[in-house]
Amino acid sequence: MTIKQIQEEIVDEFAMFDDWMQRYEYIIDLGKNLPLIDEAYKTDDNIIKGCQSKVWVHAEKQDDKISFTADSDAILTKGIIAILIRVFSNQNSEDILNADMSFIDEIGLKEHLSATRANGLVSMIKKIKIYALALQTK
């Protein structure tokens, strides 16, 4: 599945909910279902700067695809990173770097987050793209 197809799937899922309380619950559920990151990757190198809560992201390249794992100490943030992992995991570097992120606005995520969480979201995306750039040359 392409990044665009996954994003469209997420937009469709969010459209099923009537209000933002239901969407928050859905985001929290996504976080609860996020596969656990190996404790060895919960390091300062993998922590996302600019997040109010602690968020760790680890990336590995297998063949030409990058897989991501993540965790957070906050349930809503864990759900947000789960959405990003779903979009970017098992994609190649070029597609990750060129990904259009307008689906975040389509689902209304940024406008329903506090300013610090919205900044954290931007930092998460930046970190994922930095990993993609770094692994592109390997």
Side-chain angles (χ1 to χ4, degrees):
M1 221 185 229
T2 67
I3 288 175
K4 186 78 181 145
Q5 289 170 324
I6 296 167
Q7 290 173 339
E8 287 169 1
E9 199 175 77
I10 292 168
V11 169
D12 289 345
E13 289 167 13
F14 272 76
M16 291 188 302
F17 301 107
D18 296 329
D19 62 39
W20 262 93
M21 282 314 296
Q22 292 175 329
R23 290 183 182 127
Y24 285 132
E25 287 173 24
Y26 181 62
I27 293 169
I28 290 166
D29 284 343
L30 291 173
K32 288 177 183 172
N33 294 318
L34 182 67
L36 291 179
I37 190 172
D38 189 312
E39 288 295 317
Y41 299 129
K42 286 188 173 184
T43 64
D44 284 346
D45 287 344
N46 291 333
I47 207 158
I48 295 180
K49 312 283 187 278
C51 277
Q52 182 179 343
S53 42
K54 289 188 177 179
V55 182
W56 298 269
V57 176
H58 174 71
E60 284 180 19
K61 190 172 184 180
Q62 298 159 339
D63 300 318
D64 69 331
K65 305 282 187 199
I66 299 174
S67 63
F68 294 94
T69 54
D71 195 10
S72 176
D73 62 355
I75 57 171
L76 188 64
T77 307
K78 192 171 182 172
I80 294 167
I81 194 65
I83 291 170
L84 296 178
I85 296 292
R86 180 171 157 196
V87 168
F88 291 118
S89 220
N90 302 312
Q91 303 291 334
N92 66 45
S93 296
E94 190 176 329
D95 290 343
I96 294 169
L97 291 169
N98 295 323
D100 176 3
M101 298 306 295
S102 60
F103 87 100
I104 290 171
D105 294 327
E106 281 183 59
I107 63 174
L109 185 58
K110 214 184 251 182
E111 69 189 69
H112 286 90
L113 295 176
S114 65
T116 51
R117 280 222 170 89
N119 288 340
L121 172 63
V122 170
S123 296
M124 290 179 215
I125 294 167
K126 247 187 231 169
K127 181 80 168 183
I128 288 169
K129 291 197 175 206
I130 288 168
Y131 273 128
L133 189 60
L135 293 172
Q136 188 175 37
T137 57
K138 286 192 175 182

